[in-house]
Amino acid sequence: MNYFAHGFHHIDRPYFLAGTAVPDWLSVVDRGVRMRERRVAPHVDHSGSPADELAAGVLKHLDDDGWFHETRAFHEVTGEMARRFRAVLGPEDDFRPGFLGHIVTEMLLDAVLIEQAPRRLDDYYAALERIDPREIERNVNRIARGETNRLAPFIPLFREAKFLRDYRTTAGIQFRLNQVLRRIRLNPLPDAIAEVLDTGRDLVRERRADLLPEQRFGP
């Protein structure tokens, strides 16, 4: 799951919402700092404090990812996306279609959620404006394995960039996907994959209820 799928039901709780983003933020700015359930869980005290809410949000992220990545729907959709990438890129391509199938499915799921509730995305960013990045970093350093001084400076950049808005178009998703690939030192994708992204959006839209079933994630 990606940022919006993790957080779109928790916009009324800004520090909880930030907690759902923390593991992904760390994967961008400081991959050596890891959030583990056994370290995070003792910091959930149900007090409603920023520290409590942050830890609870991190746990929600970890639990959702653990569930999501084991579902039949996720494996079916990522497998189909990998097949489509392989058909365009060729069997000798070093982009590893399975990896692309995974991350693009998660990006497209965010895109579909934004498409279905566009004002919710504005609310998402408005909620993140209510958090103190220094408070987030202090509490992350209390509960994570390792410490960082890169998170607090990154959060305002994340809020300012509002890159999830780019997911509304195929060109925007391709641009952001290529940013991810450059960050992990892979070459950008050719323009020919636009069709894969277009048809993938349709596929994820069709499987949205399977990927995020109402009994777990609400309507």
Side-chain angles (χ1 to χ4, degrees):
M1 293 171 63
N2 200 20
Y3 291 105
F4 197 62
H6 277 299
F8 78 111
H9 275 313
H10 310 293
I11 289 169
D12 58 334
R13 301 168 66 184
Y15 279 90
F16 188 102
L17 178 66
T20 69
V22 159
D24 288 336
W25 285 341
L26 290 173
S27 74
V28 175
V29 299
D30 207 330
R31 296 181 67 86
V33 180
R34 309 299 293 273
M35 308 301 284
R36 293 288 184 260
E37 181 179 355
R38 63 181 177 81
R39 295 184 64 95
V40 178
H43 295 273
V44 178
D45 59 15
H46 309 289
S47 66
S49 68
D52 166 59
E53 285 283 275
L54 180 74
V58 172
L59 283 185
K60 179 63 173 170
H61 175 114
L62 299 176
D63 181 64
D64 283 348
D65 265 4
W67 173 86
F68 183 73
H69 292 147
E70 295 300 320
T71 63
R72 177 176 178 177
F74 176 76
H75 286 284
E76 288 176 348
V77 174
T78 57
E80 175 60 20
M81 290 299 301
R83 185 191 68 78
R84 295 179 187 188
F85 276 113
R86 191 173 292 110
V88 172
L89 299 173
E92 303 305 319
D93 195 277
D94 64 354
F95 284 116
R96 292 174 286 182
F99 167 73
L100 288 171
H102 181 132
I103 64 170
V104 170
T105 293
E106 295 188 347
M107 294 172 75
L108 289 173
L109 182 56
D110 268 13
V112 169
L113 293 173
I114 293 165
E115 169 189 290
Q116 294 173 346
R119 292 181 61 183
R120 198 77 173 155
L121 182 60
D122 293 334
D123 294 340
Y124 176 92
Y125 282 115
L128 290 179
E129 290 292 340
R130 296 165 57 192
I131 64 171
D132 180 350
R134 293 166 299 179
E135 180 82 9
I136 299 295
E137 185 174 277
R138 280 195 299 268
N139 283 292
V140 165
N141 286 337
R142 287 174 57 236
I143 65 180
R145 190 186 74 185
E147 293 190 1
T148 184
N149 60 5
R150 301 173 185 171
L151 183 56
F154 172 76
I155 292 172
L157 300 177
F158 178 88
R159 295 187 299 203
E160 182 180 353
K162 294 182 173 59
F163 71 82
L164 292 174
R165 290 180 175 175
D166 291 341
Y167 288 12
R168 293 175 292 191
T169 67
T170 295
I173 288 183
Q174 185 165 350
F175 174 75
R176 295 301 178 180
L177 176 58
N178 281 332
Q179 280 191 324
V180 173
L181 295 176
R182 281 192 290 269
R183 192 172 73 235
I184 59 176
R185 299 179 182 177
L186 289 175
N187 292 326
L189 292 162
D191 291 342
I193 62 98
E195 183 177 354
V196 179
L197 299 177
D198 280 337
T199 61
R201 188 189 296 262
D202 292 336
L203 172 63
V204 172
R205 189 184 295 117
E206 292 169 5
R207 299 296 303 272
R208 180 254 193 265
D210 300 324
L211 291 163
L212 297 180
E214 185 172 332
Q215 61 268 30
R216 181 177 177 95
F217 293 96

